[in-house]
């Protein structure tokens, strides 16, 4: 009589389907949570009044996000501008690339925004 190993279907490879299923569920949950946050922010911005205040451009920054899929690199650049309003409060708003290029640190003018959504900036 010899020593028998574990029966068929037992071992490291038997957990692979569970692992793949768990990773799939985690990805779906992350996608749903991200979508819900985006919809909530969009809805909250729509409920806010459109305000126009005197402001100064304090700083500008970019954020580059990229990914590498199957030897294809893709990147996207996000543009942000920090404004200071008369009360001294500062807010950073995302703007498009064209607006980003037109704004310079130190510019003073009227900032129009709705919640966290940038609308317009007119220099004085």
């Amino acid at each position: 009589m010899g020593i028998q190993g574990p029966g068929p279907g037992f071992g490291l490879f038997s957990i692979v389907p569970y692992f793949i299923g768990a990773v799939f569920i985690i990805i779906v949950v992350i996608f749903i949570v991200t979508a819900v946050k985006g919809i909530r922010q969009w809805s909250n911005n729509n409920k806010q009044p459109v305000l126009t205040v005197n402001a100064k451009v304090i700083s500008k920054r970019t954020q580059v996000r990229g990914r590498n899929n199957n030897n294809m690199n893709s990147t996207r650049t996000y543009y942000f501008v920090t404004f200071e309003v008369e009360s001294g409060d500062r807010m950073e708003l995302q703007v498009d690339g064209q607006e980003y290029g037109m704004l310079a640190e130190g510019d003073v003018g009227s900032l129009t925004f709705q919640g966290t959504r940038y609308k317009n900036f007119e220099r004085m």
Side-chain angles (χ1 to χ4, degrees):
M1 282 192 182
I3 299 176
Q4 284 188 318
F10 183 76
L12 180 61
F13 293 108
S14 66
I15 67 169
V16 170
Y18 297 108
F19 179 75
I20 292 173
V23 169
F24 177 75
I25 290 171
I26 290 169
I27 290 171
V28 168
V29 167
I30 290 172
F31 178 77
I32 290 171
V33 167
T34 302
V36 167
K37 281 183 177 180
I39 291 169
R40 187 176 292 149
Q41 183 66 50
W42 176 80
S43 176
N44 187 39
N45 280 340
N46 287 340
K47 293 177 185 175
Q48 300 296 319
V50 176
L51 299 175
T52 300
V53 295
N54 292 330
K56 179 179 181 180
V57 176
I58 298 299
S59 67
K60 297 167 41 171
R61 73 176 180 93
T62 60
Q63 181 181 45
V64 179
R65 295 184 192 162
R67 64 176 87 155
N68 184 359
N69 290 338
N70 299 328
N71 295 327
M72 293 180 58
N73 293 323
S74 65
T75 60
R76 184 167 179 191
T77 304
Y78 297 88
Y79 303 93
F80 299 92
V81 178
T82 300
F83 297 93
E84 183 176 84
V85 297
E86 289 177 317
S87 66
D89 292 332
R90 293 183 177 191
M91 64 179 73
E92 182 179 65
L93 301 174
Q94 185 174 346
V95 301
D96 65 26
Q98 186 173 4
E99 285 287 326
Y100 182 86
M102 298 296 291
L103 296 172
E105 292 182 13
D107 282 352
V108 177
S110 296
L111 169 66
T112 303
F113 65 99
Q114 183 179 22
T116 61
R117 187 181 299 146
Y118 172 85
K119 294 285 193 177
N120 189 31
F121 184 80
E122 288 188 33
R123 277 182 213 81
M124 290 185 179

